């Protein structure tokens, strides 16, 4: 299961990013464990200075603004299929 954290204090972009990640995972039958992190100190511990930030399996995948669907899907494909992005 892919671990995904959305980092942000609850702004509209953070909420939209969270919903987008849920939808992309659901639409593509990809199992993720999605958490929302709103604690400022914890967000800063990742080195994220612009929210929303997204952490995928412990690595920064995105910071600032709402990512597009293709970008979100690419995070999941690279995690579950490191050598073949068509296997998920």
């Amino acid at each position: 299961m892919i671990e995904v954290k959305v980092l942000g204090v609850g702004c509209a972009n953070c909420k939209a990013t969270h919903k987008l990640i849920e939808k992309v995972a659901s639409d593509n039958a990809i199992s993720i464990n999605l958490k929302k992190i709103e604690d400022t100190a914890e967000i800063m511990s990742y080195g994220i200075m612009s929210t929303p930030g997204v952490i995928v399996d412990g690595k920064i995948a995105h910071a600032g603004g709402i990512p597009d669907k293709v970008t979100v899907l690419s995070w999941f494909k690279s995690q579950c299929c490191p050598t073949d992005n068509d296997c998920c």
Side-chain angles (χ1 to χ4, degrees):
M1 182 172 295
I2 300 169
E3 298 289 324
V4 182
K5 296 178 183 176
V6 176
L7 312 177
V9 294
C11 68
N13 284 351
C14 298
K15 291 175 184 177
T17 297
H18 190 271
K19 284 183 179 181
L20 175 65
I21 292 170
E22 282 181 320
K23 179 158 179 42
V24 169
S26 176
D27 289 352
N28 292 277
I30 298 171
S31 295
I32 65 170
N33 181 17
L34 181 60
K35 294 181 182 176
K36 190 171 182 196
I37 308 297
E38 294 184 345
D39 179 69
T40 305
E42 188 172 353
I43 292 168
M44 292 182 73
S45 75
Y46 286 98
I48 297 290
M49 301 305 287
S50 181
T51 60
V54 180
I55 307 297
V56 179
D57 283 342
K59 297 178 185 170
I60 297 172
H62 179 80
I66 302 169
D68 60 46
K69 290 179 184 181
V70 173
T71 300
V72 173
L73 185 58
S74 74
W75 301 334
F76 302 152
K77 297 283 188 173
S78 67
Q79 292 302 312
C80 63
C81 312
T83 59
D84 178 7
N85 284 346
D86 291 327
C87 67
C88 293

